Structure formats: structure tokens, C-alpha cells
Amino acid sequence: RNLVVSSLPWLPGRVSLSGKATYARGNLVLQDAQLLTEQSQVKVDGSINLSEMSGSGEIAVDNLDLAQVSKVLGGKLKGVLDANGRIQFDSGQVEGQLSLGGLFIIAGFENLFVDFKYAQKHLTLDTLYGTILGNCSIDGSGDVYFDKPIQTYNLSANIRNFDLREIVSNSFQTDLTGSVIANGQGFNNENMQLDFNLELFESWFREYPLQFASGPVRVTTRTASFPDT
């Protein structure tokens, strides 16, 4: 049956619920459950232990507004995502495996797979694999910390075909392949700063080929600079 309820913190406006729910001995089982708003759609098949507030299930999300999610997680996230996969939660911790597509802040991506865990305002990405920032392939891991007004994060990954213009719009064209260790802060144009330590091979800066290069790069949404080593 369908049910219309008041708004949720991460899904504003009127919310419509439909699907099958079965309750027995403290366990709630959801089958073909759908949650609809004016913008987003969430489909869930799974179970919840209400006494322990734990559960697991398959989830499919269309057009999830990250600005609303950030009201729960903290910070000022922007973007709209689609997600499909499996999640489980227990005692304030959420973990799972998801395939993602959409726009996150300034980064567009498709077919991005993540194996994640979230607890105590700390997001751990044990696996981050797929395509981001245009045609850039990535295979790595990282962390995001939401415990401060300006979020901090780190990344260790192998990349292929990264174009710097995807982050710095007025930069020169690049095609970078290699390994990267990055530490950053902020998720918006005003406070985002990324410090990269790069080891590149068979890459291009403008029209200049690079067989091998290494060193630090500092990137904001406005500039890219090469600090002294």
C-alpha cells in the first residue's frame, strides 16, 4: 500500500512509501519497498532488527541530493548521485558495496565502485574503482573525515588519463597516468585544497610528453602550483 508521510532530514518535501513489510519478533522485513519524493527514489529489499537497530539489504537510489544528506553527516556536500548495491548497519555503523554515478561537488563519475564503512563521522573507502573526472580511471582507497567544520580527506590510488582541467577549469590540458597520494580539505570552491604527491609515467603536460616525473602539486579550484621540494 502507499503512505504519504512528512519529510525526512535527507529527503525533503512529501514522502510516499509503498511496498510490502512483514513484522515478527522484532524483525521488519521489507520487500519491493519504495520511497519517493519530488526528486529522489529509493528502493529497498532487506531486513531490520528493530530491538538492536541493525539490518542489511539491497538498495537502489536515484537522484539522491547530497545537500540533504550532509544535514545528517555534517559538512556542505553538493551533488546528485545514483547508487546501487548492498549495505548493512549496526550500532551507528554503516558499511557496504555500492556502484555510483552522478556528480559530487565538481567531480562527475560513472561506474564507480566503492567498498565503504561509515562510523563516528569517518568514511573509510577500502576500495575505490572506476571512472571519475571525465575519462580518468582510478583504483585506490581513501578516507573522509566529517568531524570538523571543514572536512579533510586522503587518497592513495593509481590513475590513468587524468586531465587537470576537470578540477581547475582555467588550467592547461593534461593526460596523466601513474600513482598519487593526496591529502585535502574542503568540498567547495572557496575552501578546497588538494596536495598531491605524484609519480607519473607516459603522460602529457600540454603538448609535452613525460616518460617519468615525480613531485608535489598543490591544487585548488582556481590554481595548480608546484611547491619547492
Side-chain angles (χ1 to χ4, degrees), residues 47-219:
S47 61
I48 304 172
N49 185 314
L50 296 177
S51 60
E52 299 179 358
M53 287 308 297
S54 62
S56 63
E58 302 290 330
I59 187 170
V61 183
D62 295 328
N63 299 323
L64 181 63
D65 186 351
L66 293 180
Q68 299 301 322
V69 175
S70 66
K71 294 180 180 179
V72 178
L73 299 183
K76 295 182 179 180
L77 305 180
K78 295 181 180 179
V80 178
L81 294 182
D82 297 335
N84 291 275
R86 183 170 183 82
I87 63 171
Q88 59 188 51
F89 62 93
D90 186 11
S91 302
Q93 175 176 294
V94 181
E95 59 184 290
Q97 300 81 37
L98 295 174
S99 294
L100 303 173
L103 178 66
F104 177 68
I105 314 296
I106 61 172
F109 49 84
E110 55 182 300
N111 300 324
L112 182 67
F113 175 82
V114 297
D115 187 340
F116 75 95
K117 181 184 296 183
Y118 179 81
Q120 299 180 342
K121 296 188 176 183
H122 175 201
L123 176 63
T124 302
L125 301 170
D126 290 323
T127 302
L128 184 67
Y129 178 83
T131 303
I132 64 172
L133 296 168
N135 295 317
C136 177
S137 300
I138 187 170
D139 183 0
S141 60
D143 300 273
V144 185
Y145 298 90
F146 295 93
D147 57 340
K148 297 180 180 179
I150 298 179
Q151 303 81 13
T152 58
Y153 40 89
N154 60 70
L155 172 71
S156 177
N158 293 319
I159 60 170
R160 180 174 293 276
N161 305 130
F162 171 57
D163 187 350
L164 187 58
R165 296 177 302 176
E166 293 288 339
I167 296 179
V168 186
S169 59
N170 62 349
S171 180
F172 45 83
Q173 183 178 7
T174 68
D175 186 345
L176 306 182
T177 295
S179 63
V180 56
I181 296 176
N183 292 282
Q185 67 174 30
F187 282 127
N188 59 53
N189 292 337
E190 288 72 32
N191 59 32
M192 191 186 81
Q193 178 177 296
L194 292 164
D195 289 311
F196 292 101
N197 192 347
L198 302 172
E199 288 193 3
L200 305 174
F201 60 91
E202 296 181 357
S203 300
W204 291 80
F205 276 89
R206 293 182 176 174
E207 68 273 19
Y208 304 111
L210 295 173
Q211 291 302 313
F212 178 82
S214 64
V217 180
R218 172 165 291 178
V219 175

